[in-house]
Amino acid sequence: MRNMMNEKLNKLILVPVLAVLFVMIGYQYICPAGSNSCHFGTAEKLRGMRPPATLYPTPDDLYQELEDDSPPKFLSKFNFTERDLMRDVEFNIRGEDVIVFLHIQKTGGTTFGRHLVRNIRLEQPCDCKPGQKKCTCHRPGKEESWLFSRFSTGWSCGLHADWTELTNCVPVIMDKKAAQRNRRNYYYITMLRDPVSRYLSEWKHVQRGATWKTSLHMCDGRSPTQDELPNCYNGDDWSGVPLADFMDCPSNLANNRQVRMLADLSLVGCYNLSSMNESERSHILLTSAMANLKNMAFYGLTEFQRKTQYLFERTFRLRFISAFTQINSTRASNVDISDGVRRRIEELNFLDVQLYEYAKDLFLQRFQFTRQREHQESRLKRREERRWLREQRAKWPPRGGDGDAPAAGGGDPPEAAATTEDYTSQVARW
């Protein structure tokens, strides 16, 4: 009789042990070490409250390609402060805040502009009707736009308006459209691109008939005169222009376009080249463009689409529905040029080359800084959750040794349930 009782007791003990081992082995496959995709709901159910959580609970596998497109050996050449690298803004889409997109030609701005109006997960998404170029991007419950861009408000400040034009024009336009004047926060954003690729892309675009001749180029209250900004071509457009002719025009705005678009042109007498010597003018333009770029709420790089998406989402606390796509095959990439022609393009765009080197350095430092800070927050969160769970488990002592009666002073804890969050079900293809 005693042997039979011992056998039954051993079976009673063995079954729970095997069950626990089975669960632990299964968990290692479902939630490997270092994974952030599995969260136990035990502690949450114990007291009906959530343990501490980070601001961005998105699992790392959604950004598994973030590090893949980094330069193999990125060495910073510029020293930036933590204030320069930290780019969290308190963007209030329900309030008076406005995102202003400065669209520089041939930097991937059209694609990014479409992401802004069609690919952001919003309480009140932009209304984009088929066949219409512009979308209606109103704040929740208000007849007012939170986005100033080509695809939301149109070219309200002129075709491809630059920093000088936008900073003077946007507040006036927004006040006209609003029922009353309000104090707004304007968050300027833009996209930059490798200068040689951007220059070749603009040349191919001009070859197909693009002119942008309706651009206003407003500065200090007026547009440039014909003498200040002469045309590079006769007739309606410059279609079919050879690359050599494109490079030979001294007034071609494709030269150093990114610096000109981002600098305060009032500092150099706008388009009046006789106001100062070329060396002084170049130094002021580059310094101004760097300062304005650094102080913008956000900028992205065409060559780093996933990182651009990542930093935008962390800066504005807005989420895109689908991931950005890196397109490496472009018209510019298919242009075969000699080393001599490349050097000539770099000489014509020597200010853009310096600006892009600065912008790329700052962009990658911001990415690394943001990722490191997010990893630290994730580690602190896991540490806090473990501490929190220990405190809760201490309030529910284990069952008594006989397997039937609860231990003194405690009862059975509520049933623990392991849940795995499935983020892929929330992603819609755009």
Side-chain angles (χ1 to χ4, degrees):
M1 181 66 68
R2 181 174 298 177
N3 291 334
M4 293 179 60
M5 292 180 63
N6 289 335
E7 289 178 3
K8 289 183 179 181
L9 181 61
N10 290 334
K11 289 181 180 180
L12 289 174
I13 297 174
L14 182 61
V15 171
V17 170
L18 291 176
V20 170
L21 288 174
F22 178 78
V23 171
M24 292 178 65
I25 293 173
Y27 177 74
Q28 293 298 318
Y29 283 97
I30 298 173
C31 302
S35 171
N36 295 328
S37 60
C38 301
H39 304 277
F40 282 117
T42 308
E44 299 177 21
K45 292 188 176 183
L46 285 175
R47 293 182 59 183
M49 58 182 290
R50 296 185 62 85
T54 55
L55 183 61
Y56 306 112
T58 304
D60 286 343
D61 57 358
L62 290 184
Y63 294 99
Q64 59 186 350
E65 299 179 21
L66 282 173
E67 281 78 13
D68 296 342
D69 62 354
S70 296
K73 293 182 179 180
F74 168 62
L75 298 177
S76 175
K77 298 180 181 179
F78 299 89
N79 294 321
F80 297 104
T81 66
E82 183 173 320
R83 183 177 180 182
D84 296 332
L85 301 179
M86 187 176 295
R87 265 301 172 267
D88 292 335
V89 301
E90 299 296 331
F91 178 69
N92 183 6
I93 196 171
R94 290 180 168 274
E96 305 296 335
D97 296 349
V98 180
I99 294 177
V100 182
F101 181 36
L102 193 163
H103 186 171
I104 302 173
Q105 289 95 318
K106 313 314 296 177
T107 59
T110 298
T111 298
F112 185 75
R114 289 197 179 106
H115 279 304
L116 293 176
V117 297
R118 296 178 180 269
N119 194 26
I120 296 182
R121 185 178 289 110
L122 297 170
E123 176 185 344
Q124 182 174 326
C126 295
D127 184 13
C128 301
K129 292 183 170 56
Q132 293 185 1
K133 293 183 179 180
K134 292 192 298 182
C135 303
T136 302
C137 297
H138 285 161
R139 308 181 192 278
K142 294 183 180 180
E143 297 293 319
E144 182 179 286
S145 180
W146 57 268
L147 175 66
F148 194 100
S149 76
R150 166 188 178 181
F151 292 117
S152 58
T153 53
W155 301 112
S156 300
C157 291
L159 180 63
H160 286 286
D162 55 37
W163 187 91
T164 307
E165 294 176 287
L166 287 176
T167 52
N168 287 281
C169 169
V170 170
V172 176
I173 296 295
M174 293 300 295
D175 283 342
K176 286 182 179 179
K177 292 185 177 183
Q180 60 182 11
R181 292 189 178 185
N182 298 311
R183 183 177 179 179
R184 298 181 180 85
N185 295 317
Y186 295 104
Y187 297 104
Y188 285 81
I189 65 174
T190 194
M191 291 287 293
L192 296 182
R193 185 179 181 183
D194 170 75
V196 175
S197 297
R198 198 215 65 79
Y199 189 83
L200 291 171
S201 182
E202 179 164 342
W203 164 59
K204 298 297 290 184
H205 201 51
V206 169
Q207 267 195 332
R208 299 190 300 273
T211 62
W212 301 296
K213 59 186 176 183
T214 59
S215 297
L216 300 176
H217 304 305
M218 292 291 292
C219 180
D220 286 349
R222 67 177 182 88
S223 296
T225 65
Q226 183 65 27
D227 291 335
E228 291 173 333
L229 189 61
N231 291 331
C232 287
Y233 56 90
N234 297 318
D236 294 333
D237 57 41
W238 210 6
S239 59
V241 58
L243 179 57
D245 293 350
F246 189 76
M247 293 189 294
D248 285 342
C249 178
S251 61
N252 189 351
L253 290 181
N255 301 337
N256 294 310
R257 183 180 287 278
Q258 295 181 100
V259 165
R260 184 187 61 80
M261 292 282 285
L262 292 173
D264 183 356
L265 301 181
S266 299
L267 300 175
V268 295
C270 300
Y271 293 88
N272 181 8
L273 301 183
S274 63
S275 61
M276 61 184 65
N277 64 61
E278 183 179 353
S279 176
E280 183 181 3
R281 178 184 178 87
S282 297
H283 174 73
I284 293 174
L285 285 174
L286 180 60
T287 303
S288 176
M290 286 180 172
N292 290 337
L293 183 70
K294 183 180 70 174
N295 293 326
M296 277 186 170
F298 164 83
Y299 70 88
L301 299 182
T302 309
E303 291 76 17
F304 301 97
Q305 291 292 317
R306 290 298 180 90
K307 288 181 172 63
T308 294
Q309 176 182 0
Y310 174 87
L311 287 177
F312 180 91
E313 290 181 338
R314 270 57 185 177
T315 299
F316 288 101
R317 294 178 173 83
L318 295 172
R319 287 288 183 181
F320 290 101
I321 298 170
S322 60
F324 287 15
T325 302
Q326 187 70 55
I327 301 176
N328 295 319
S329 178
T330 63
R331 289 187 176 92
S333 65
N334 294 326
V335 177
D336 188 16
I337 58 175
S338 65
D339 291 340
V341 171
R342 176 175 290 275
R343 285 194 296 271
R344 175 80 192 286
I345 294 175
E346 289 174 345
E347 291 171 358
L348 291 171
N349 294 273
F350 73 103
L351 295 179
D352 273 10
V353 170
Q354 295 176 74
L355 175 67
Y356 187 78
E357 182 181 19
Y358 174 89
K360 183 177 177 180
D361 196 310
L362 177 57
F363 178 86
L364 292 177
Q365 284 200 54
R366 280 180 177 172
F367 170 76
Q368 291 179 350
F369 176 83
T370 305
R371 289 286 282 173
Q372 289 171 0
R373 188 177 63 170
E374 192 167 273
H375 288 158
Q376 290 173 355
E377 290 176 353
S378 180
R379 287 194 295 270
L380 289 175
K381 171 199 170 184
R382 290 194 297 268
R383 185 184 306 169
E384 183 66 17
E385 284 182 339
R386 289 194 295 268
R387 182 194 63 78
W388 195 87
L389 286 171
R390 285 195 300 269
E391 291 178 355
Q392 301 307 312
R393 287 167 182 164
K395 300 177 181 179
W396 300 93
R399 298 172 60 92
D402 60 1
D404 295 320
D412 290 340
E415 182 181 356
T419 60
T420 301
E421 296 181 6
D422 180 12
Y423 290 94
T424 57
S425 63
Q426 302 174 19
V427 178
R429 302 295 294 174
W430 172 56

